[in-house]
PDB file of all heavy atoms in Angstrom:
ATOM      1  N   LEU A 297     241.023 -31.893 116.713  1.00 97.00           N
ATOM      2  CA  LEU A 297     240.269 -33.131 116.478  1.00 97.00           C
ATOM      3  C   LEU A 297     241.052 -34.074 115.570  1.00 97.00           C
ATOM      4  O   LEU A 297     241.086 -35.295 115.798  1.00 97.00           O
ATOM      5  CB  LEU A 297     238.913 -32.807 115.849  1.00 97.00           C
ATOM      6  CG  LEU A 297     237.890 -32.130 116.766  1.00 97.00           C
ATOM      7  CD1 LEU A 297     236.686 -31.660 115.948  1.00 97.00           C
ATOM      8  CD2 LEU A 297     237.436 -33.072 117.875  1.00 97.00           C
ATOM      9  N   LEU A 300     243.378 -36.402 117.059  1.00 96.00           N
ATOM     10  CA  LEU A 300     242.764 -37.581 117.682  1.00 96.00           C
ATOM     11  C   LEU A 300     242.155 -38.518 116.640  1.00 96.00           C
ATOM     12  O   LEU A 300     241.453 -39.474 116.983  1.00 96.00           O
ATOM     13  CB  LEU A 300     241.664 -37.137 118.659  1.00 96.00           C
ATOM     14  CG  LEU A 300     242.116 -36.290 119.848  1.00 96.00           C
ATOM     15  CD1 LEU A 300     240.907 -35.762 120.613  1.00 96.00           C
ATOM     16  CD2 LEU A 300     243.034 -37.091 120.769  1.00 96.00           C
ATOM     17  N   LEU A 302     239.916 -37.602 114.381  1.00 97.00           N
ATOM     18  CA  LEU A 302     238.494 -37.292 114.282  1.00 97.00           C
ATOM     19  C   LEU A 302     238.242 -36.152 113.302  1.00 97.00           C
ATOM     20  O   LEU A 302     239.088 -35.270 113.127  1.00 97.00           O
ATOM     21  CB  LEU A 302     237.944 -36.892 115.658  1.00 97.00           C
ATOM     22  CG  LEU A 302     237.921 -37.958 116.746  1.00 97.00           C
ATOM     23  CD1 LEU A 302     237.622 -37.320 118.094  1.00 97.00           C
ATOM     24  CD2 LEU A 302     236.883 -39.022 116.425  1.00 97.00           C
ATOM     25  N   ASP A 306     232.329 -36.598 113.083  1.00 95.00           N
ATOM     26  CA  ASP A 306     232.399 -37.771 113.953  1.00 95.00           C
ATOM     27  C   ASP A 306     231.789 -37.501 115.325  1.00 95.00           C
ATOM     28  O   ASP A 306     231.360 -38.433 116.018  1.00 95.00           O
ATOM     29  CB  ASP A 306     233.850 -38.233 114.121  1.00 95.00           C
ATOM     30  CG  ASP A 306     234.462 -38.743 112.829  1.00 95.00           C
ATOM     31  OD1 ASP A 306     233.710 -39.300 112.003  1.00 95.00           O
ATOM     32  OD2 ASP A 306     235.682 -38.573 112.650  1.00 95.00           O
ATOM     33  N   LEU A 307     231.759 -36.245 115.723  1.00 94.00           N
ATOM     34  CA  LEU A 307     231.228 -35.900 117.040  1.00 94.00           C
ATOM     35  C   LEU A 307     229.721 -36.093 117.119  1.00 94.00           C
ATOM     36  O   LEU A 307     229.155 -36.106 118.223  1.00 94.00           O
ATOM     37  CB  LEU A 307     231.574 -34.448 117.380  1.00 94.00           C
ATOM     38  CG  LEU A 307     233.061 -34.094 117.375  1.00 94.00           C
ATOM     39  CD1 LEU A 307     233.241 -32.625 117.714  1.00 94.00           C
ATOM     40  CD2 LEU A 307     233.842 -34.972 118.337  1.00 94.00           C
ATOM     41  N   LEU A 308     229.079 -36.255 115.976  1.00 92.00           N
ATOM     42  CA  LEU A 308     227.630 -36.462 115.972  1.00 92.00           C
ATOM     43  C   LEU A 308     227.257 -37.881 116.370  1.00 92.00           C
ATOM     44  O   LEU A 308     226.089 -38.165 116.643  1.00 92.00           O
ATOM     45  CB  LEU A 308     227.067 -36.146 114.583  1.00 92.00           C
ATOM     46  CG  LEU A 308     227.265 -34.699 114.108  1.00 92.00           C
ATOM     47  CD1 LEU A 308     226.913 -34.572 112.638  1.00 92.00           C
ATOM     48  CD2 LEU A 308     226.420 -33.753 114.944  1.00 92.00           C
ATOM     49  N   GLU A 309     228.239 -38.775 116.406  1.00 90.00           N
ATOM     50  CA  GLU A 309     228.008 -40.169 116.796  1.00 90.00           C
ATOM     51  C   GLU A 309     228.584 -40.408 118.190  1.00 90.00           C
ATOM     52  O   GLU A 309     229.659 -39.878 118.519  1.00 90.00           O
ATOM     53  CB  GLU A 309     228.672 -41.122 115.799  1.00 90.00           C
ATOM     54  CG  GLU A 309     228.175 -40.968 114.377  1.00 90.00           C
ATOM     55  CD  GLU A 309     226.703 -41.322 114.244  1.00 90.00           C
ATOM     56  OE1 GLU A 309     226.227 -42.178 115.028  1.00 90.00           O
ATOM     57  OE2 GLU A 309     226.020 -40.735 113.370  1.00 90.00           O
ATOM     58  N   PRO A 310     227.917 -41.197 119.029  1.00 87.00           N
ATOM     59  CA  PRO A 310     228.404 -41.425 120.398  1.00 87.00           C
ATOM     60  C   PRO A 310     229.839 -41.923 120.462  1.00 87.00           C
ATOM     61  O   PRO A 310     230.618 -41.481 121.323  1.00 87.00           O
ATOM     62  CB  PRO A 310     227.420 -42.462 120.947  1.00 87.00           C
ATOM     63  CG  PRO A 310     226.159 -42.220 120.178  1.00 87.00           C
ATOM     64  CD  PRO A 310     226.597 -41.828 118.799  1.00 87.00           C
ATOM     65  N   ALA A 311     230.227 -42.823 119.563  1.00 87.00           N
ATOM     66  CA  ALA A 311     231.587 -43.358 119.609  1.00 87.00           C
ATOM     67  C   ALA A 311     232.620 -42.264 119.330  1.00 87.00           C
ATOM     68  O   ALA A 311     233.649 -42.168 120.011  1.00 87.00           O
ATOM     69  CB  ALA A 311     231.735 -44.497 118.604  1.00 87.00           C
ATOM     70  N   GLY A 312     232.343 -41.434 118.330  1.00 89.00           N
ATOM     71  CA  GLY A 312     233.264 -40.338 118.020  1.00 89.00           C
ATOM     72  C   GLY A 312     233.310 -39.320 119.133  1.00 89.00           C
ATOM     73  O   GLY A 312     234.383 -38.809 119.473  1.00 89.00           O
ATOM     74  N   ALA A 313     232.160 -39.030 119.709  1.00 88.00           N
ATOM     75  CA  ALA A 313     232.119 -38.072 120.806  1.00 88.00           C
ATOM     76  C   ALA A 313     232.943 -38.560 121.986  1.00 88.00           C
ATOM     77  O   ALA A 313     233.659 -37.786 122.632  1.00 88.00           O
ATOM     78  CB  ALA A 313     230.669 -37.832 121.229  1.00 88.00           C
ATOM     79  N   ALA A 314     232.872 -39.863 122.281  1.00 88.00           N
ATOM     80  CA  ALA A 314     233.644 -40.413 123.395  1.00 88.00           C
ATOM     81  C   ALA A 314     235.139 -40.279 123.136  1.00 88.00           C
ATOM     82  O   ALA A 314     235.917 -40.013 124.063  1.00 88.00           O
ATOM     83  CB  ALA A 314     233.260 -41.872 123.608  1.00 88.00           C
ATOM     84  N   ARG A 315     235.564 -40.432 121.885  1.00 92.00           N
ATOM     85  CA  ARG A 315     236.993 -40.329 121.549  1.00 92.00           C
ATOM     86  C   ARG A 315     237.498 -38.890 121.655  1.00 92.00           C
ATOM     87  O   ARG A 315     238.716 -38.667 121.713  1.00 92.00           O
ATOM     88  CB  ARG A 315     237.228 -40.862 120.141  1.00 92.00           C
ATOM     89  CG  ARG A 315     237.119 -42.381 120.039  1.00 92.00           C
ATOM     90  CD  ARG A 315     237.078 -42.826 118.600  1.00 92.00           C
ATOM     91  NE  ARG A 315     238.253 -42.345 117.860  1.00 92.00           N
ATOM     92  CZ  ARG A 315     238.290 -42.220 116.533  1.00 92.00           C
ATOM     93  NH1 ARG A 315     237.210 -42.523 115.806  1.00 92.00           N
ATOM     94  NH2 ARG A 315     239.382 -41.786 115.937  1.00 92.00           N
ATOM     95  N   ALA A 316     236.574 -37.927 121.673  1.00 93.00           N
ATOM     96  CA  ALA A 316     236.980 -36.516 121.800  1.00 93.00           C
ATOM     97  C   ALA A 316     237.217 -36.109 123.248  1.00 93.00           C
ATOM     98  O   ALA A 316     237.593 -34.962 123.511  1.00 93.00           O
ATOM     99  CB  ALA A 316     235.917 -35.612 121.185  1.00 93.00           C
ATOM    100  N   ARG A 317     237.018 -37.033 124.178  1.00 91.00           N
ATOM    101  CA  ARG A 317     237.120 -36.674 125.594  1.00 91.00           C
ATOM    102  C   ARG A 317     238.478 -36.065 125.972  1.00 91.00           C
ATOM    103  O   ARG A 317     238.529 -35.112 126.749  1.00 91.00           O
ATOM    104  CB  ARG A 317     236.834 -37.913 126.455  1.00 91.00           C
ATOM    105  CG  ARG A 317     236.530 -37.569 127.907  1.00 91.00           C
ATOM    106  CD  ARG A 317     235.833 -38.727 128.596  1.00 91.00           C
ATOM    107  NE  ARG A 317     235.445 -38.334 129.945  1.00 91.00           N
ATOM    108  CZ  ARG A 317     235.927 -38.886 131.044  1.00 91.00           C
ATOM    109  NH1 ARG A 317     236.836 -39.843 130.967  1.00 91.00           N
ATOM    110  NH2 ARG A 317     235.517 -38.480 132.234  1.00 91.00           N
ATOM    111  N   PRO A 318     239.618 -36.563 125.441  1.00 93.00           N
ATOM    112  CA  PRO A 318     240.893 -35.919 125.793  1.00 93.00           C
ATOM    113  C   PRO A 318     240.938 -34.431 125.419  1.00 93.00           C
ATOM    114  O   PRO A 318     241.485 -33.616 126.163  1.00 93.00           O
ATOM    115  CB  PRO A 318     241.927 -36.728 125.008  1.00 93.00           C
ATOM    116  CG  PRO A 318     241.292 -38.071 124.832  1.00 93.00           C
ATOM    117  CD  PRO A 318     239.822 -37.793 124.636  1.00 93.00           C
ATOM    118  N   LEU A 319     240.364 -34.078 124.269  1.00 95.00           N
ATOM    119  CA  LEU A 319     240.338 -32.670 123.867  1.00 95.00           C
ATOM    120  C   LEU A 319     239.417 -31.875 124.787  1.00 95.00           C
ATOM    121  O   LEU A 319     239.752 -30.753 125.204  1.00 95.00           O
ATOM    122  CB  LEU A 319     239.891 -32.537 122.411  1.00 95.00           C
ATOM    123  CG  LEU A 319     239.700 -31.098 121.896  1.00 95.00           C
ATOM    124  CD1 LEU A 319     240.970 -30.276 122.075  1.00 95.00           C
ATOM    125  CD2 LEU A 319     239.259 -31.109 120.435  1.00 95.00           C
ATOM    126  N   LEU A 320     238.265 -32.434 125.111  1.00 94.00           N
ATOM    127  CA  LEU A 320     237.361 -31.747 126.027  1.00 94.00           C
ATOM    128  C   LEU A 320     238.044 -31.499 127.366  1.00 94.00           C
ATOM    129  O   LEU A 320     237.902 -30.421 127.955  1.00 94.00           O
ATOM    130  CB  LEU A 320     236.089 -32.569 126.224  1.00 94.00           C
ATOM    131  CG  LEU A 320     235.127 -32.585 125.036  1.00 94.00           C
ATOM    132  CD1 LEU A 320     234.060 -33.645 125.245  1.00 94.00           C
ATOM    133  CD2 LEU A 320     234.485 -31.225 124.849  1.00 94.00           C
ATOM    134  N   HIS A 321     238.794 -32.464 127.847  1.00 93.00           N
ATOM    135  CA  HIS A 321     239.490 -32.289 129.117  1.00 93.00           C
ATOM    136  C   HIS A 321     240.576 -31.223 129.021  1.00 93.00           C
ATOM    137  O   HIS A 321     240.786 -30.453 129.962  1.00 93.00           O
ATOM    138  CB  HIS A 321     240.062 -33.625 129.578  1.00 93.00           C
ATOM    139  CG  HIS A 321     239.046 -34.485 130.265  1.00 93.00           C
ATOM    140  ND1 HIS A 321     239.389 -35.519 131.097  1.00 93.00           N
ATOM    141  CD2 HIS A 321     237.692 -34.453 130.254  1.00 93.00           C
ATOM    142  CE1 HIS A 321     238.290 -36.083 131.575  1.00 93.00           C
ATOM    143  NE2 HIS A 321     237.252 -35.450 131.067  1.00 93.00           N
ATOM    144  N   GLN A 369     230.937 -35.921 133.590  1.00 85.00           N
ATOM    145  CA  GLN A 369     230.239 -36.722 132.586  1.00 85.00           C
ATOM    146  C   GLN A 369     231.219 -37.592 131.803  1.00 85.00           C
ATOM    147  O   GLN A 369     232.265 -37.119 131.372  1.00 85.00           O
ATOM    148  CB  GLN A 369     229.464 -35.819 131.628  1.00 85.00           C
ATOM    149  CG  GLN A 369     228.280 -35.112 132.279  1.00 85.00           C
ATOM    150  CD  GLN A 369     227.484 -34.301 131.277  1.00 85.00           C
ATOM    151  OE1 GLN A 369     228.032 -33.770 130.341  1.00 85.00           O
ATOM    152  NE2 GLN A 369     226.185 -34.202 131.495  1.00 85.00           N
ATOM    153  N   ARG A 370     230.852 -38.838 131.606  1.00 77.00           N
ATOM    154  CA  ARG A 370     231.727 -39.736 130.849  1.00 77.00           C
ATOM    155  C   ARG A 370     231.716 -39.409 129.359  1.00 77.00           C
ATOM    156  O   ARG A 370     232.706 -39.597 128.671  1.00 77.00           O
ATOM    157  CB  ARG A 370     231.288 -41.191 131.048  1.00 77.00           C
ATOM    158  CG  ARG A 370     231.291 -41.665 132.486  1.00 77.00           C
ATOM    159  CD  ARG A 370     232.640 -41.445 133.170  1.00 77.00           C
ATOM    160  NE  ARG A 370     233.725 -42.164 132.494  1.00 77.00           N
ATOM    161  CZ  ARG A 370     235.001 -42.057 132.845  1.00 77.00           C
ATOM    162  NH1 ARG A 370     235.360 -41.249 133.828  1.00 77.00           N
ATOM    163  NH2 ARG A 370     235.926 -42.744 132.202  1.00 77.00           N
ATOM    164  N   ASN A 371     230.582 -38.965 128.858  1.00 75.00           N
ATOM    165  CA  ASN A 371     230.473 -38.635 127.441  1.00 75.00           C
ATOM    166  C   ASN A 371     229.620 -37.377 127.294  1.00 75.00           C
ATOM    167  O   ASN A 371     228.456 -37.447 126.919  1.00 75.00           O
ATOM    168  CB  ASN A 371     229.849 -39.793 126.663  1.00 75.00           C
ATOM    169  CG  ASN A 371     230.008 -39.620 125.152  1.00 75.00           C
ATOM    170  OD1 ASN A 371     230.393 -38.555 124.687  1.00 75.00           O
ATOM    171  ND2 ASN A 371     229.699 -40.662 124.401  1.00 75.00           N
ATOM    172  N   PRO A 372     230.187 -36.215 127.605  1.00 68.00           N
ATOM    173  CA  PRO A 372     229.379 -34.990 127.649  1.00 68.00           C
ATOM    174  C   PRO A 372     228.764 -34.589 126.322  1.00 68.00           C
ATOM    175  O   PRO A 372     227.745 -33.915 126.298  1.00 68.00           O
ATOM    176  CB  PRO A 372     230.375 -33.926 128.141  1.00 68.00           C
ATOM    177  CG  PRO A 372     231.726 -34.491 127.855  1.00 68.00           C
ATOM    178  CD  PRO A 372     231.588 -35.971 127.967  1.00 68.00           C
ATOM    179  N   LEU A 373     229.341 -35.007 125.208  1.00 76.00           N
ATOM    180  CA  LEU A 373     228.780 -34.620 123.914  1.00 76.00           C
ATOM    181  C   LEU A 373     227.496 -35.370 123.599  1.00 76.00           C
ATOM    182  O   LEU A 373     226.730 -34.959 122.730  1.00 76.00           O
ATOM    183  CB  LEU A 373     229.796 -34.851 122.796  1.00 76.00           C
ATOM    184  CG  LEU A 373     231.119 -34.097 122.887  1.00 76.00           C
ATOM    185  CD1 LEU A 373     231.855 -34.194 121.570  1.00 76.00           C
ATOM    186  CD2 LEU A 373     230.914 -32.654 123.272  1.00 76.00           C
ATOM    187  N   ALA A 374     227.261 -36.464 124.294  1.00 64.00           N
ATOM    188  CA  ALA A 374     226.053 -37.238 124.033  1.00 64.00           C
ATOM    189  C   ALA A 374     224.980 -36.976 125.073  1.00 64.00           C
ATOM    190  O   ALA A 374     224.005 -37.706 125.160  1.00 64.00           O
ATOM    191  CB  ALA A 374     226.395 -38.728 124.021  1.00 64.00           C
TER     192      ALA A 374
END
Side-chain angles (χ1 to χ4, degrees):
L297 289 171
L300 297 172
L302 294 168
D306 294 328
L307 302 179
L308 298 169
E309 301 296 330
R315 287 168 57 202
R317 196 162 185 244
L319 175 56
L320 287 169
H321 278 200
Q369 292 184 327
R370 301 306 300 175
N371 193 349
L373 300 193

